[in-house]
Structures are given as structure tokens and as C-alpha cells.
Amino acid sequence: MQAQLRVPGQPIQPMLVTLPFGLFVCAALFDISVVAGAPDLFGEVGYWTLVAGLAAMALTVAVGLVDLWDEPSGPVRSSLVRFNLISTAMGGLFLLAGLIRTSGPTSLAGVPLLIVELVGLGVGVAGLRHGTALLRHVGEVAAADERGRRSDGLDALARH
């Protein structure tokens, strides 16, 4: 994977997807607490946490598209496309959850909202698993490249 946006040795996007996922988990927990009888303030915090998660998801998808731009076709590119589609699907489900919240007279949580959020979290878990496998693959390729460079350097030293 030849990601344009990297932290030392690793692409950013598979790691960045954990931020919106964590915010979506928190939003779902706040909404579950409202359905269980918590004060309405928890619903408002859940709503704004969902909005923050959507903003973070937009950033994550944008970074993913930048990484996808220069990736040559092959198994890594198809894996990146799949990861971006899963991440976008999770963001789309939470966008739907936000629209459900704003369509009613109040922005409090309800059962249909919780169902959409739980499905979104299920999609997010699949995305995180796929992103973890992608990071492992990138780490293995980077380690193999490093071993190849070291052996080339040692061979060059031995020749002199």
C-alpha cells in the first residue's frame, strides 16, 4: 500500500476510522441510556456526539480517497476500495440516524434510531476488522522491504 498520508510506516486511514467509530459508539450508548430512562440531556449529548462522528467520518473518507488515488490496481487497491465502501456505509447509516433524530418533534432517541445505530455499529465492526487486516498486511510488506534493504546494504559492505 503506497498511502500518501502516513505516520511512520503506516497509512493513516485505517487508524483514523477508529475516531468516528468511537464517537458513534458513544452516541449509541447515550441514546440507549435515554431509552432506558436517563434525562433528556443525554439525548442531546448523543446527538452532538453523532454530529462530531459524522464530521470525523467525512475526514476519514477524504483521507481514504487520497490514499486510493495513487494505488496501482491489484489486491491492495481492491482491499482499499472495500475498506472505503464499508467505512462510507457506516457513515451513511449514522447519517440516516441523524436524519431520523431531526425528523421528529424532538431529537430524543427511540427504538428505530437505536436499530439503525446498532446496524451501523455492526458495519463499523466489519470495517475495523478489515482495516486491521489491511494494517497487518502493510506492516508485513514494510518489514519484508526493510529486511531486503538491510540485506542489500550488508551485501554491498561485504563486497567492499
Side-chain angles (χ1 to χ4, degrees):
M1 184 171 161
Q2 302 171 0
Q4 297 295 317
L5 305 172
R6 302 172 73 85
V7 292
Q10 299 293 327
I12 292 175
Q13 195 225 3
M15 293 183 280
L16 189 62
V17 79
T18 58
L19 176 64
F21 183 76
L23 289 167
F24 293 150
V25 167
C26 290
L29 289 175
F30 281 119
D31 292 340
I32 289 169
S33 69
V34 169
V35 169
D40 292 348
L41 176 65
F42 281 66
E44 288 297 318
V45 172
Y47 173 75
W48 290 108
T49 304
L50 181 104
V51 170
L54 289 172
M57 182 52 71
L59 175 67
T60 300
V61 169
V63 167
L65 291 175
V66 168
D67 284 349
L68 193 59
W69 186 266
D70 286 335
E71 187 66 37
S73 61
V76 174
R77 183 179 178 88
S78 64
S79 184
L80 272 173
V81 168
R82 210 171 19 257
F83 181 68
N84 281 318
L85 288 174
I86 293 170
S87 298
T88 304
M90 179 179 66
L93 285 166
F94 277 93
L95 179 62
L96 178 63
L99 293 173
I100 289 171
R101 289 192 78 146
T102 58
S103 67
T106 64
S107 61
L108 298 180
V111 175
L113 173 68
L114 291 178
I115 291 171
V116 170
E117 286 180 339
L118 291 177
V119 170
L121 290 178
V123 170
V125 166
L128 287 177
R129 292 187 70 181
H130 190 70
T132 302
L134 191 60
L135 282 174
R136 270 195 218 114
H137 175 72
V138 168
E140 290 168 359
V141 169
D145 286 347
E146 184 63 31
R147 282 192 301 270
R149 278 189 234 132
R150 285 185 185 164
S151 67
D152 289 346
L154 293 175
D155 291 343
L157 286 175
R159 282 185 235 138
H160 287 7

